């Protein structure tokens, strides 16, 4: 890739990192502030309530996907990227200053809820805006490599959050973290978002969008235009299902699982997640580059097969890992499997749609799938735990992966699709020959 393309990838990725830092620190620090917003009592129940609010943010993501996807297709990728980071900065400030239960009763919960709704709105548009931007900004033969930096930056955001947590765990007392220390990451996130807002103001529009003539099409970014590509939208939802559940299981939920279910000290659990995620982050570009050589489907199928058949044994052994090295090895194995999905899912989805509907086409169906499966993963896990049947969650994750496996086996390769096209052949009628062998009902 040329220097200008690298600049676009870097700036787009930097903003994505801050967005996902703000999104993930909520889940990462939930174990410290869960009791601050609810009456003292059952720790698991308070954590479930807090993660229920986390899940609510996911249900705002389809709204953000629709609104910001529409802006991305009608006003350009740059406009959508700038707006998403503005909303995220505001939400981080709200959480940082939210009053506790002891000060304002359930008023603090209301502030927390509003902040999560704003975060959901922001992230709902950020995923599609960054996925579309990174894919369009890259050279045709390097789309998998360039778009893999979406999960590099997402994971980097989570690593910064985990790293900050590890530092705070070693510099502040447990009482201080529960009392006020949990506010620090949200202050950091708000400042970071302000810096990214400045960077994104000078961001260059992608050539694919600028030269496509999509901006002159009045139907661009509309639900009517998306309906004409409804088969591709259903395909995005189906191929997302297994990947998003597995991703959130081994990232945001892993630390809590190791500390609450495996009995591992919180600092050790955080270190396991940090080290595994660091390796995971580093291998994303390698997997993306591999997909540019052999295609997207082989990686997707490898992920789905691994998650379907190995989730139950991995989670079972993680529960009894006990110490750092066994837990690290198992977590890394799980994340290596998930890499088959994360490294290329951005470009696969972007490659399914023509330019004038690409941002909305990626945003809305992906956000719906995340709201239904990714956002509820932790809540479902805690529900099984509270019911005394924690292993049921392992089978749930494996089952979701199995559904996506069927989709990966029946879809066609997208690697060589031309991003400059303005239509998808057959989109208004039968399923495009380049996209899938199955009928919509089969998906």
């Amino acid at each position: 890739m040329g220097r200008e393309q690298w600049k676009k990838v870097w700036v787009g990725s930097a903003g994505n990192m801050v967005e996902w830092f703000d999104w993930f620190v909520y889940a990462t620090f939930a174990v410290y502030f869960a009791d601050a917003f609810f009456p003292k009592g059952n720790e698991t129940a308070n954590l479930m309530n807090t993660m229920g609010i986390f899940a609510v943010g996911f249900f705002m993501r389809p709204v953000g996907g629709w609104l910001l996807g529409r802006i991305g297709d009608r006003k350009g990728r740059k406009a959508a990227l700038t707006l998403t980071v503005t909303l995220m900065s505001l939400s981080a400030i709200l959480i940082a200053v939210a009053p506790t239960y002891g000060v304002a009763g359930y008023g603090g919960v209301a502030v927390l809820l509003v902040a999560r709704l704003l975060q959901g709105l922001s992230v709902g548009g950020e995923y599609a805006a960054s996925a579309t931007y990174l894919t369009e900004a890259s050279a045709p033969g390097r789309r998998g490599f360039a778009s893999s930096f979406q999960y590099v930056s997402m994971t980097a955001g989570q690593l910064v959050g985990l790293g900050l947590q590890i530092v705070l765990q070693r510099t502040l007392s447990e009482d201080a973290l529960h009392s006020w220390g949990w506010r620090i990451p949200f202050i950091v996130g708000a400042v970071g978002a302000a810096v990214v807002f400045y960077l994104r103001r000078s961001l260059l529009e992608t050539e694919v969008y600028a030269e496509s003539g999509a901006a002159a099409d009045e139907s661009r970014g509309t639900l009517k235009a998306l309906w004409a590509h409804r088969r591709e939208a259903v395909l995005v939802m189906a191929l997302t299902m297994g990947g998003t559940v597995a991703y959130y299981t081994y990232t945001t939920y892993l630390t809590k699982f190791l500390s609450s279910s495996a009995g591992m000290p919180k600092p050790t659990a955080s270190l396991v997640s940090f080290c595994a995620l660091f390796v995971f982050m580093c291998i994303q570009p390698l997997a993306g580059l591999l997909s540019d050589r052999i295609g997207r489907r082989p990686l997707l199928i490898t992920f789905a097969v691994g998650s379907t058949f190995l989730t139950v044994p991995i989670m079972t052994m993680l529960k009894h890992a006990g110490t750092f090295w066994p837990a690290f090895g198992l977590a890394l194995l799980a994340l290596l499997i998930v890499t088959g999905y994360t490294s290329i899912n951005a470009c696969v989805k972007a490659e399914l749609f023509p330019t004038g509907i690409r941002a909305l086409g990626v945003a809305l169906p992906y956000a719906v799938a995340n709201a239904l499966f990714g956002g509820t993963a932790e809540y479902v896990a805690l529900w099984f735990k509270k019911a005394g049947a924690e292993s049921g969650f392992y089978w749930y994750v494996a089952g979701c992966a199995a559904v996506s496996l069927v989709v990966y086996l029946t879809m066609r390769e997208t690697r060589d699709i031309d991003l400059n096209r303005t239509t998808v052949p057959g989109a208004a009628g039968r399923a495009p020959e380049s996209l899938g062998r199955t009928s919509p009902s089969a998906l």
Side-chain angles (χ1 to χ4, degrees):
M1 296 192 299
R3 181 178 178 182
E4 198 61 49
Q5 290 173 324
W6 272 114
K7 180 181 178 181
K8 290 178 180 178
V9 170
W10 180 82
V11 176
S13 298
N16 198 44
M17 182 188 74
V18 173
E19 287 268 355
W20 290 96
F21 168 86
D22 286 335
W23 178 260
F24 281 126
V25 290
Y26 180 101
T28 303
F29 281 83
V31 292
Y32 293 109
F33 66 75
D35 290 337
F37 294 99
F38 298 96
K40 301 293 183 182
N42 188 306
E43 183 178 345
T44 300
N46 285 348
L47 187 57
M48 283 187 67
N49 290 331
T50 306
M51 295 318 299
I53 295 176
F54 180 77
V56 166
F58 277 83
F59 286 95
M60 197 65 179
R61 287 176 66 165
V63 180
W66 166 72
L67 177 62
L68 295 165
R70 177 183 173 87
I71 291 173
D73 284 327
R74 298 183 72 86
K75 303 297 182 181
R77 317 313 188 199
K78 174 184 173 180
L81 287 170
T82 304
L83 182 55
T84 59
V85 78
T86 303
L87 293 173
M88 187 59 78
S89 179
L90 179 59
S91 66
I93 292 172
L94 284 176
I95 297 177
V97 302
T100 63
Y101 181 83
V103 173
Y106 286 107
V109 175
V111 174
L112 201 63
L113 181 61
V114 170
R116 283 302 296 175
L117 291 175
L118 284 175
Q119 284 190 333
L121 190 70
S122 173
V123 172
E126 172 67 25
Y127 174 86
S130 62
T132 302
Y133 189 88
L134 290 173
T135 303
E136 290 183 347
S138 61
R142 287 292 182 268
R143 294 200 299 250
F145 174 70
S147 65
S148 71
F149 282 90
Q150 182 181 48
Y151 270 83
V152 170
S153 56
M154 283 175 63
T155 307
Q158 190 170 2
L159 282 172
V160 172
L162 276 172
L164 182 57
Q165 184 183 59
I166 291 171
V167 170
L168 292 176
Q169 286 171 337
R170 282 158 173 73
T171 56
L172 298 178
S173 67
E174 188 81 3
D175 288 341
L177 275 170
H178 281 275
S179 176
W180 57 269
W182 60 265
R183 297 182 187 273
I184 294 175
F186 297 103
I187 296 173
V188 172
V191 174
V195 172
V196 169
F197 175 80
Y198 173 78
L199 291 174
R200 284 187 169 178
R201 287 182 63 189
S202 61
L203 199 65
L204 298 175
E205 188 58 78
T206 66
E207 293 181 6
V208 170
Y209 181 84
E211 298 176 0
S212 67
D217 182 3
E218 287 301 318
S219 68
R220 66 195 184 279
T222 63
L223 293 176
K224 181 179 180 181
L226 181 60
W227 180 252
H229 303 284
R230 55 191 177 276
R231 290 175 172 81
E232 294 85 347
V234 172
L235 186 59
V236 168
M237 292 180 63
L239 65 86
T240 299
M241 180 181 176
T244 190
V245 172
Y247 178 75
Y248 279 96
T249 296
Y250 297 121
T251 56
T252 60
Y253 181 60
L254 180 63
T255 304
K256 288 183 281 295
F257 177 77
L258 291 175
S259 61
S260 64
S261 296
M264 191 173 289
K266 290 178 182 177
T268 304
S270 297
L271 187 60
V272 169
S273 292
F274 182 90
C275 293
L277 283 170
F278 180 80
V279 178
F280 172 75
M281 177 184 70
C282 293
I283 63 175
Q284 298 305 299
L286 298 178
L289 193 61
L290 179 63
S291 79
D292 286 327
R293 290 180 175 272
I294 67 173
R296 321 300 189 209
R297 288 181 68 246
L299 273 70
L300 290 172
I301 292 171
T302 299
F303 150 71
V305 170
S307 290
T308 300
F309 296 102
L310 295 180
T311 293
V312 174
I314 287 175
M315 293 296 288
T316 302
M317 288 188 287
L318 270 173
K319 187 173 182 178
H320 300 93
T323 58
F324 173 84
W325 286 109
F328 170 72
L330 289 166
L332 183 57
L333 173 61
L335 287 171
L336 286 173
I337 294 171
V338 174
T339 295
Y341 167 80
T342 56
S343 61
I344 58 170
N345 84 95
C347 65
V348 169
K349 293 163 188 172
E351 288 165 346
L352 292 174
F353 296 94
T355 305
I357 195 63
R358 184 169 293 132
L360 180 60
V362 173
L364 187 55
Y366 171 80
V368 170
N370 258 269
L372 294 175
F373 302 104
T376 59
E378 290 196 51
Y379 193 84
V380 171
L382 292 170
W383 182 87
F384 274 110
K385 178 179 174 63
K386 189 176 181 181
E390 190 167 32
S391 62
F393 177 67
Y394 314 162
W395 290 99
Y396 169 76
V397 177
C400 290
V403 173
S404 287
L405 175 59
V406 174
V407 178
Y408 303 152
L409 289 172
T410 55
M411 67 180 287
R412 292 282 181 101
E413 184 56 62
T414 64
R415 179 187 59 179
D416 298 322
I417 288 178
D418 180 13
L419 289 185
N420 291 292
R421 71 195 189 284
T422 56
T423 62
V424 173
R430 60 180 177 82
E433 184 65 20
S434 61
L435 299 177
R437 298 187 182 97
T438 60
S439 66
S441 61
L443 297 178

